[in-house]
């Protein structure tokens, strides 16, 4: 029984590592192509997005490993704030890129409105939910 549970955890660890390797490789290729083209804004976008995702994954993993809520309430609150801030940063970054590619300003405004609603919904879920 214990071996089956450990095997499932090992399978999950392999998937996580594979995903992180894929994320790292695609980010490196994207940053290289943007830098080779002389596009500093895109290079910065890739670097900040990649770093933010790594920090988000680290924060979520730390949250998963915390002791029960009654023992680590302060740590949980800090990690919730950290997760929300990183998710908000990523939402803003991707909205910026998507809105810039939209054909007209009303469509770009709709992208930003959806980003604002997503951010507000995340805040409500993390800080005012059950």
């Amino acid at each position: 029984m214990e071996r089956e549970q450990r095997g499932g955890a090992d399978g999950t660890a392999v998937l996580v590592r594979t995903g992180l390797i894929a994320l790292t490789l695609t980010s490196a290729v994207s940053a290289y192509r943007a830098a080779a083209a002389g596009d500093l804004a895109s290079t910065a976008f890739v670097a900040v997005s990649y770093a933010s995702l790594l920090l988000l994954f680290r924060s979520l993993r730390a949250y998963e490993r915390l002791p029960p809520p009654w023992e680590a309430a302060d740590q949980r609150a800090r990690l919730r704030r950290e997760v929300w801030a990183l998710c908000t940063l990523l939402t803003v970054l991707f909205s910026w890129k998507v809105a810039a590619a939209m054909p007209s300003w009303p469509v770009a405004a709709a992208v930003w409105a959806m980003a604002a609603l997503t951010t507000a919904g995340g805040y409500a879920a993390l800080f005012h939910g059950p």
Side-chain angles (χ1 to χ4, degrees):
M1 177 82 143
E2 182 180 325
R3 186 172 190 199
E4 290 174 9
Q5 289 175 345
R6 198 170 2 108
D10 289 342
T12 302
V14 168
L15 286 175
V16 169
R17 284 189 187 102
T18 303
L20 287 175
I21 290 169
L23 175 66
T24 300
L25 291 175
T26 57
S27 295
V29 169
S30 296
Y32 175 78
R33 286 184 178 176
D39 188 356
L40 293 178
S42 291
T43 305
F45 170 78
V46 171
V48 172
S49 297
Y50 176 71
S52 299
L53 280 169
L54 289 182
L55 288 171
L56 179 61
F57 294 150
R58 182 193 57 83
S59 298
L60 290 171
R61 185 67 175 152
Y63 190 84
E64 289 174 346
R65 291 183 170 193
L66 284 176
W70 55 87
E71 293 179 16
D74 291 341
Q75 289 174 330
R76 284 183 186 280
R78 182 185 58 79
L79 284 170
R80 267 195 225 113
R81 287 190 303 269
E82 202 173 289
V83 165
W84 180 77
L86 289 167
C87 287
T88 299
L89 174 63
L90 287 165
T91 300
V92 168
L93 286 172
F94 288 108
S95 297
W96 171 56
K97 285 300 250 188
V98 171
M102 292 296 109
S104 64
W105 72 265
V107 181
V111 168
W112 283 110
M114 287 187 287
L117 286 172
T118 300
T119 299
Y123 181 85
L126 281 172
F127 300 109
H128 298 292

